[in-house]
Amino acid sequence: MQSYWRNFIDGEWGDGGAGRAEIVNPGTGERLAEQAMADAADVDRAVRAALRVHESGALIDMRPVERGRMVQSMGRFLTEHEEDIAHVLCLEQGKPLWEARREIAGAARYFEYYGNQAETLEGRSIPLGAGYVDFTQSEPYGVSAQIIPWNFPVEIAARSLAAGLATGNACVVKTSELTPLSSAWLAEAAVAAGFPAGAVNIFCGWGHEAGAALAGHGEARQIVFTGSVATGIKVAEAAARHIAPCVLELGGKSAAIVHEDADLDAFERDIRWGIYFNAGQICSAMSRVIVHEARHEELVERAAQVARSLSVGPGIDRDTPGLTMGAMASDTQRDRAAGMVSDAERQGARLVTGGRKMNIPGAFLEPTVLSQVTPDMSIAQEEVFGPVLSVMSFRDEAEAVRIANGTEYGLVAGVFTRDLNRASRAAQKLRAGQVFVNEWFAGGVETPFGGYGKSGYGREKGREALWNYVQTKNIAMAVR
């Protein structure tokens, strides 16, 4: 573990104009390292380096297959250094070491997938009759600005970087102030893959300074942001001033509808992954379960058993996949989640298990289950972003869908039933960008991901994501 980490701009590691920030290990509450913090001048330098690369043609002039091979090479670099990266990621973010390894593998998969996709973006010919040849081609925006959250700092950065580079964009990445350290390997991967200086720039900075400067930079032609609704609105407003398109992934309040014929033995696994993986700090977490009244009590007890079975403590001590959970990313995040649980109790929800800060060093919250939650409670409407499961009941399909759709979000949803006709009906009516049937987090890198409503717009993952990074040019030729 280095004591001081620098920013990577225009092919060089350097200090930041905004000084240094202390990075804390949320698993212990102790100081971990210091990180250089970029200011607006650093951001401008990074964007202009990326613009220089774009205008030089260094990325767009090469054959897409060659560019794709370079992208894939970045993934192989991550795989080769998985243990080193996972160790740092675990310490700075708080997740169990085995979860950190899983994140690095997921990041490498994005580079593999989008590297393969680089040569598949093709135009089309449009028949206009005799005397004309008309066709389209896809061109990169040039500079892709990417603002990355702290919950999956390597994997989410890889998701955007891989798609941006595969389509020929130069990329400027701002990491989170909480988890900037592990992103250094992405810069090293770009160098190892042979990308020219300025093609990949990665720095940390305060959101109100570096983040605002990046989102509002006139040469940032396309912006990708993952984070809160409030910050997403600010990013979109800044981008709108220079008409830059955005991809906004702004979280959710996702619901699983569990019918009376659902396999609850299998559903216990979905509870474990859906709400307690990464301590519930997942935008698509299964934060609400809407269960048929005939199975309500049974499901509540099963959920409580899952929560109580988890071994909670420092992630670095939990390196084997299993029933473990690490710290939340910070005391602030932990305290906010605990406060929302207390508010829910005051509003009439029943605390079945957990809900309290743990009496150990670090940002730990007990895995929590709440029952007797009603749709109008704040816990059923607002994103907790923590290991807190809210259970509600329903009587018929229409009521279940109405409750599931009854928030301002619309990221993912789930239906659990043996009746596929029932599942299909619900899938058509649920207002969400992705619907899981009988398995939470079904799908993968290949499947498009994005939200309705305040969950944002644009799509990540899958081939659909590539269209966010290119614009269509039409060429119409008169042939005499």
Side-chain angles (χ1 to χ4, degrees):
M1 175 63 65
Q2 301 170 201
S3 61
Y4 177 49
W5 299 66
R6 293 175 169 83
N7 297 315
F8 185 75
I9 297 175
D10 202 8
E12 297 182 351
W13 296 96
D15 299 328
R20 302 184 179 191
E22 185 177 85
I23 307 303
V24 174
N25 179 349
T28 63
E30 298 174 350
R31 177 185 178 278
L32 186 62
E34 285 187 317
Q35 167 68 46
M37 300 298 280
D39 63 8
D42 295 319
V43 173
D44 181 67
R45 188 159 53 90
V47 172
R48 296 198 178 280
L51 181 62
R52 185 196 70 239
V53 170
H54 173 64
E55 292 179 341
S56 75
L59 297 180
I60 59 178
D61 287 350
M62 70 173 66
R63 292 190 67 169
V65 64
E66 295 300 327
R67 191 167 62 240
R69 287 169 180 161
M70 294 169 69
V71 172
Q72 288 181 309
S73 178
M74 290 182 66
R76 289 192 292 271
F77 182 93
L78 297 185
T79 299
E80 291 165 2
H81 296 82
E82 179 182 283
E83 198 62 29
D84 290 337
I85 309 171
H87 184 86
V88 172
L89 174 59
C90 167
L91 292 176
E92 70 173 339
Q93 202 274 344
K95 64 186 62 183
L97 183 57
W98 69 269
E99 289 189 17
R101 293 190 187 108
R102 188 184 180 96
E103 178 173 342
I104 307 311
R109 174 70 178 119
Y110 279 110
F111 288 109
E112 178 186 41
Y113 177 77
Y114 284 115
N116 278 326
Q117 296 293 322
E119 59 182 319
T120 68
L121 284 184
E122 300 173 342
R124 64 189 180 97
S125 64
I126 302 172
L128 295 179
Y132 296 95
V133 174
D134 190 284
F135 59 94
T136 66
Q137 61 188 38
S138 297
E139 295 186 351
Y141 282 98
V143 177
S144 174
Q146 304 169 1
I147 302 174
I148 307 302
W150 47 259
N151 58 331
F152 290 93
V154 181
E155 190 166 1
I156 291 179
R159 185 173 74 187
S160 302
L161 261 178
L165 292 171
T167 49
N169 294 276
C171 298
V172 179
V173 179
K174 191 200 90 68
T175 68
S176 167
E177 305 93 310
L178 293 178
T179 56
L181 309 183
S182 51
S183 300
W185 274 271
L186 294 169
E188 297 284 6
V191 173
F195 281 99
V200 174
N201 304 274
I202 300 177
F203 57 81
C204 185
W206 304 111
H208 68 272
E209 184 173 5
L214 183 56
H217 200 293
E219 298 297 346
R221 308 287 174 78
Q222 181 256 6
I223 298 173
V224 183
F225 171 78
T226 300
S228 70
V229 173
T231 305
I233 291 172
K234 293 179 181 178
V235 168
E237 288 175 343
R241 295 190 184 99
H242 56 274
I243 321 299
C246 294
V247 180
L248 300 178
E249 198 274 276
L250 306 180
K253 192 65 185 175
S254 302
I257 297 174
V258 182
H259 287 277
E260 66 272 23
D261 64 343
D263 181 350
L264 294 191
D265 288 335
F267 188 70
E268 286 188 19
R269 181 179 183 276
D270 290 286
I271 294 172
R272 188 265 173 275
W273 287 101
I275 193 59
Y276 300 125
F277 186 74
N278 202 32
Q281 299 167 123
I282 305 175
C283 53
S284 53
M286 187 176 68
S287 58
R288 294 183 295 155
V289 169
I290 305 166
V291 58
H292 190 275
E293 59 185 8
R295 308 295 296 277
H296 177 268
E297 294 305 318
E298 179 185 1
L299 188 143
V300 167
E301 182 53 37
R302 285 174 177 266
Q305 289 175 5
V306 172
R308 295 175 185 129
S309 72
L310 297 174
S311 169
V312 183
I316 201 67
D317 299 331
R318 286 154 175 78
D319 65 347
T320 302
L323 295 171
T324 63
M325 193 180 84
M328 297 185 68
S330 69
D331 288 348
T332 300
Q333 293 295 324
R334 186 269 319 278
D335 292 347
R336 177 181 178 275
M340 292 185 71
V341 172
S342 296
D343 288 344
E345 287 187 274
R346 284 191 289 271
Q347 293 173 28
R350 181 172 72 91
L351 182 62
V352 180
T353 190
R356 303 290 182 255
K357 294 185 285 188
M358 297 180 66
N359 191 28
I360 57 174
F364 294 97
L365 181 69
E366 296 171 334
T368 303
V369 176
L370 292 164
S371 70
Q372 298 177 15
V373 175
T374 58
D376 60 315
M377 292 180 181
S378 57
I379 199 74
Q381 293 290 321
E382 300 172 12
E383 186 173 37
V384 178
F385 223 62
V388 179
L389 179 67
S390 297
V391 183
M392 296 175 276
S393 64
F394 71 90
R395 293 183 177 181
D396 56 41
E397 289 183 39
E399 183 184 18
V401 171
R402 185 167 61 252
I403 294 172
N405 287 341
T407 75
E408 295 182 318
Y409 293 101
L411 191 55
V412 306
V415 186
F416 294 79
T417 177
R418 289 184 171 89
D419 185 341
L420 292 183
N421 289 325
R422 172 189 281 162
S424 181
R425 288 193 299 269
Q428 300 304 315
K429 295 177 181 178
L430 286 166
R431 194 173 64 91
Q434 188 172 32
V435 178
F436 304 128
V437 177
N438 289 333
E439 182 183 325
W440 201 263
F441 294 139
V445 169
E446 309 90 336
T447 53
F449 173 72
Y452 290 13
K454 287 193 175 179
S455 287
Y457 50 77
R459 292 296 179 264
E460 303 274 18
K461 302 170 58 175
R463 278 185 56 80
E464 283 78 0
L466 296 173
W467 302 115
N468 295 314
Y469 296 85
V470 296
Q471 48 196 335
T472 299
K473 175 180 282 186
N474 177 254
I475 300 172
M477 303 175 62
V479 181
R480 303 297 185 221

